[in-house]
Amino acid sequence: MNVSINIKHQTDDFQDKDIIIYVPMYYEIKGNDNMSMNNNEKETIKEKIKKMFSLSEDSASNDEIRTRLLDGGKVTGTNMCVLVCAMVIASVGLNVNSTAVIIGAMLISPIMGSILASAYASVTNDYPLLREHLLGFGVQIAISVTAAMIYFLVSPVKEPTAELLARTSPTFFDVLIAFFGGLAGIIGQTRQDKANTVIPGVAIATALMPPLCTCGYSIANGRWDMLLRAGYLFIINSYFIFLSAGIIMSVLKIPKSKDLTEKEWKRRRFRMIRNTILIILPSIAALYTMML
């Protein structure tokens, strides 16, 4: 593109003549076009990456998320019967050192539903609902440990197997598994697709059932050292599933039943940080000891 400039020039014969000067502007404009194209391209790539990892892109409605999570955390006859069956299956698997049987028990166990329902109640600040699901979770733990204890009391195999001993050495790696497993689990539960293939994998990875079965074995056989370590592993798995689920639901901006004041929010944040540090420190110490 050229720009012309007219200049009046007076000659000796007093006649005005136009002198036209052409100034090339091609490279300057071309450079601006390239910059514009590059900016558009960068924005497009940025948007694609953002869309690729967007949690809200295909999330279910808030009502559907609430229904899924609260239904999964119900302590009903069906869930409790399945829970007892899962505990007995897991106990047999641990007792005979069968990994396949243990995995089967983890797949049918409904206990993770109570953790996700409790996380939902906590994020929405619905304290009556939170107490209800925490109480239900406590009942599930008590029934699970009791069922496992009864099995191991009548079982002729008293020596701890490798599968039982594997649940008595929690480290920081278990924290990572529980946290990222919880992230995957709650993301799967909040998708539009009802055919959820994530939860079975999370149930296997986080392994809530085997530590409880190991607690039952420890009580039945008086192995209190195993009881403490297996109980700690269960606490790690439960807490970090709860924590990661709460984080994802906060990112999704799940509607709250009531808003917290600034003072209440600071108090909750302090408790969350404090509890996380207290739970994670022994696992770090165990990992350090293991690596020595």
Side-chain angles (χ1 to χ4, degrees):
M1 172 179 165
N2 295 328
V3 177
S4 62
I5 302 175
N6 292 342
I7 301 177
K8 291 291 184 177
H9 176 68
Q10 190 175 22
T11 61
D12 294 338
D13 54 0
F14 302 99
Q15 292 180 352
D16 292 338
K17 292 184 179 180
D18 291 330
I19 298 176
I20 301 176
I21 300 175
Y22 292 94
V23 180
M25 301 291 291
Y26 173 77
Y27 292 105
E28 182 180 354
I29 295 174
K30 183 178 180 182
N32 289 337
D33 288 342
N34 285 341
M35 289 174 62
S36 178
M37 290 174 63
N38 288 337
N39 287 336
N40 290 335
E41 185 179 356
K42 288 179 181 178
E43 289 176 0
T44 303
I45 294 173
K46 185 178 179 180
E47 288 174 359
K48 285 182 178 179
I49 294 175
K50 186 177 179 181
K51 185 177 180 181
M52 189 183 302
F53 290 95
S54 174
L55 293 175
S56 59
E57 186 68 25
D58 62 338
S59 64
S61 66
N62 292 325
D63 289 339
E64 188 172 357
I65 291 173
R66 177 184 174 88
T67 301
R68 285 184 193 175
L69 296 181
L70 297 187
D71 285 351
K74 286 182 178 178
V75 184
T76 61
T78 302
N79 278 352
M80 297 310 289
C81 290
V82 173
L83 178 65
V84 173
C85 292
M87 284 303 297
V88 173
I89 293 171
S91 298
V92 172
L94 290 168
N95 204 200
V96 300
N97 211 35
S98 173
T99 303
V101 174
I102 298 169
I103 291 174
M106 289 187 284
L107 288 174
I108 65 174
S109 170
I111 198 168
M112 189 166 66
S114 291
I115 301 175
L116 298 181
S118 299
Y120 178 87
S122 177
V123 169
T124 58
N125 303 325
D126 192 336
Y127 296 116
L129 187 65
L130 177 60
R131 283 192 294 269
E132 176 186 341
H133 284 287
L134 287 178
L135 179 61
F137 184 53
V139 170
Q140 287 179 318
I141 292 173
I143 291 177
S144 299
V145 173
T146 301
M149 181 184 67
I150 292 172
Y151 168 80
F152 283 110
L153 281 172
V154 300
S155 172
V157 181
K158 301 299 182 182
E159 289 298 316
T161 61
E163 289 290 349
L164 279 168
L165 294 174
R167 272 73 193 184
T168 60
S169 303
T171 66
F172 184 69
F173 293 127
D174 296 292
V175 172
L176 296 178
I177 292 170
F179 182 77
F180 287 99
L183 288 179
I186 193 61
I187 290 172
Q189 285 287 71
T190 56
R191 298 305 90 195
Q192 291 177 356
D193 185 11
K194 294 182 179 179
N196 196 334
T197 58
V198 177
I199 293 298
V202 174
I204 296 171
T206 53
L208 290 166
M209 299 299 289
L212 285 181
C213 290
T214 306
C215 289
Y217 169 86
S218 304
I219 296 172
N221 292 278
R223 296 292 302 269
W224 309 118
D225 56 330
M226 292 179 64
L227 175 63
L228 291 175
R229 287 179 287 179
Y232 176 52
L233 177 58
F234 179 76
I235 290 172
I236 286 176
N237 290 342
S238 302
Y239 178 78
F240 283 98
I241 290 173
F242 176 89
L243 180 65
S244 57
I247 291 173
I248 293 299
M249 282 187 278
S250 297
V251 171
L252 292 174
K253 298 180 179 178
I254 300 296
K256 295 174 172 52
S257 61
K258 60 171 287 189
D259 292 324
L260 297 179
T261 64
E262 185 66 22
K263 185 177 181 181
E264 288 174 330
W265 167 242
K266 285 182 178 179
R267 190 183 303 118
R268 173 184 283 191
R269 183 171 57 187
F270 170 77
R271 287 200 299 262
M272 180 181 66
I273 295 173
R274 178 201 61 194
N275 294 341
T276 302
I277 293 173
L278 290 176
I279 291 174
I280 206 173
L281 279 178
S283 69
I284 296 174
L287 177 62
Y288 178 76
T289 304
M290 185 180 68
M291 294 177 64
L292 290 178

